Amino acid sequence: MSRPAEKRSARNQSCQRKDVAVANETAKTWLITGVSRGIGAEVAARALARGDRVAGTVRTPEQAAAFERMAPGRASALLADMTDGAAIVRAVGKAEDELGQIDVLVNNAGYGLVGALEEYSEGELRRQMEVNFFGAVATMRAALPGMRARGKGRIVNVSSIAGLAPYGGFSLYAASKYAVEGASLSLAQEVAPLGIRVTLVEPGAIRTDWAGASMVHAERVIEDYAHTTGEVRAFFEDYFGKQPGDPAKVAGAILAVADAGNPPRHLVLGSDAWARIHEEIEALRRDLEAWRETTLSTDIEALSAASTA
C-alpha cells in the first residue's frame, strides 16, 4: 500500500506534468532573423524566458553556440546569410523540423547605411536592398506555406521610422524600409483571409549598436554634401549611446503584438518616432490641401462629372 506522502508526491508530479503540457500547448514557436545582437537578441531572450521556442539566424558558429546555450532544446541557431535566398529557405526548413510550426516570424536582420544618394556605389546600393528587403521577403516566402497550411500565423517586420518619414543622409536605408512597408501592407491584405496577420514595427532611435559598430558609411564622400549628409554623419557619431529608445521595452512591445488578438498594421515606437511621423503627416496634409485642385483636375472630364453628380 502506498504511503500518503508517496501519493501526494505522485499527485504533485502528475500536476506538474499537466502544467508542462499546458505550457507547451500555449507556448509559441518563433523564427527571428538576427538574434546575435540588438532588438532581435532582446526579443529572443524574452520569448525564451517565458518558455517559448525560438529559432534565430546568426552569422557565425560562435554566435550559434552562444544562442543555443540560452535555452538548450528550445533555442535553435540557424546559420544563414540574409543575402543568400537558398540559405534562408534551408534555415526556415530546419526551424520547422527542429522546433515545429512557426507561429511568429520576426524579420529583424538589417543594417543602416549613411550617405548621400550620389555617394553610394552600386555595390553598397545592392547590398543594402539585399539584406534589408530581399532577405526579409525570402524569409516570409519560405515561412508562408506552413502558416497557410495551419490557417494562422504572425509576421512582424521590423521597419523603421525611416520607412515612414526619412531624414536626409539615409536615402538607401529609407528605400529599403519603404520597400518593406509596401510589401508588408500588400501582403497583409493577401493573407488576412487565411488567418495570418502582418505588423510593421517602426522604431525611432534605439540604444543598440545600430548607430555604432553596425552602421555602414558610404565609402565615397562628396564635399558639396558637407552641410547635409556630412552633418548627419557627425550627428550619429555623437548620438551613439544617447538614443532615447530602450531595446528591452521595444522587445516587450513586439511580444505584445505577437500575443494580441487584433494586432495593428503599424506600430510606431519611441517618442522621437512619434514626433517625426506627426511632422510628416502634417506636411503631407499641407501638400494635399495646397494641390487639391490640381489633384482633382486630372480625371477624364466625364468621369469627374459623374463622380461629383
Side-chain angles (χ1 to χ4, degrees):
M1 181 178 294
S2 299
R3 296 177 181 177
E6 291 174 343
K7 291 182 179 180
R8 285 197 300 271
S9 177
R11 284 197 300 270
N12 289 341
Q13 289 176 6
S14 175
C15 290
Q16 288 171 0
R17 284 195 294 271
K18 289 179 181 178
D19 289 343
V20 170
V22 171
N24 288 339
E25 288 175 4
T26 58
K28 289 182 170 64
T29 298
W30 298 65
L31 172 57
I32 306 171
T33 64
V35 295
S36 60
R37 62 179 70 181
I39 293 173
E42 292 283 353
V43 175
R46 281 180 168 249
L48 290 170
R50 72 181 196 176
D52 291 355
R53 299 178 295 273
V54 180
T57 67
V58 295
R59 290 180 290 178
T60 69
E62 294 75 18
Q63 291 171 342
F67 179 67
E68 292 188 344
R69 283 196 298 269
M70 292 176 63
R74 291 190 295 111
S76 177
L78 311 169
L79 284 169
D81 183 336
M82 296 308 292
T83 66
D84 185 341
I88 291 170
V89 171
R90 289 194 298 270
V92 173
K94 182 183 177 185
E96 291 175 330
D97 289 342
E98 292 187 355
L99 298 180
Q101 66 187 37
I102 296 171
D103 301 308
V104 186
L105 167 62
V106 179
N107 270 310
N108 163 75
Y111 69 97
L113 177 62
V114 183
L117 184 68
E118 189 182 352
E119 292 175 332
Y120 298 126
S121 69
E122 185 77 6
E124 289 169 335
L125 184 160
R126 292 189 178 278
R127 179 165 177 77
Q128 177 81 125
M129 296 302 294
E130 285 285 350
V131 174
N132 289 11
F133 175 63
F134 288 110
V137 170
T139 309
M140 288 188 283
R141 284 167 57 87
L144 278 168
M147 291 183 176
R148 284 193 292 104
R150 292 184 296 275
K152 62 179 181 178
R154 296 290 173 90
I155 296 174
V156 180
N157 289 330
V158 180
S159 177
S160 166
I161 193 60
L164 293 172
Y167 291 98
F170 287 98
S171 52
L172 284 188
Y173 177 72
S176 71
K177 293 303 185 180
Y178 264 83
V180 169
E181 296 266 337
S184 299
L185 292 174
S186 184
L187 174 66
Q189 297 172 65
E190 296 164 4
V191 299
L194 307 177
I196 303 168
R197 299 291 180 264
V198 181
T199 295
L200 283 154
V201 175
E202 292 124 343
I206 308 300
R207 200 165 296 186
T208 66
D209 67 354
W210 181 90
S214 296
M215 183 173 283
V216 176
H217 294 258
E219 290 187 8
R220 185 186 184 196
V221 176
I222 299 174
E223 287 304 317
D224 285 346
Y225 296 110
H227 296 296
T228 52
T229 304
E231 292 183 358
V232 171
R233 288 192 183 97
F235 172 80
F236 274 94
E237 287 176 3
D238 181 64
Y239 196 45
F240 180 59
K242 302 174 184 176
Q243 304 97 313
D246 184 334
K249 291 180 179 179
V250 169
I254 290 174
L255 264 72
V257 163
D259 293 339
N262 185 28
R265 293 277 180 90
H266 295 275
L267 181 64
V268 174
L269 297 176
S271 58
D272 57 336
W274 179 267
R276 180 63 180 166
I277 188 56
H278 280 80
E279 289 175 2
E280 187 70 11
I281 290 170
E282 182 58 24
L284 175 61
R285 188 197 64 78
R286 288 195 301 268
D287 282 348
L288 289 173
E289 291 301 323
W291 290 85
R292 181 175 183 274
E293 185 175 341
T294 300
T295 297
L296 300 179
S297 72
T298 58
D299 287 350
I300 294 171
E301 288 187 12
L303 293 177
S304 181
S307 65
T308 58

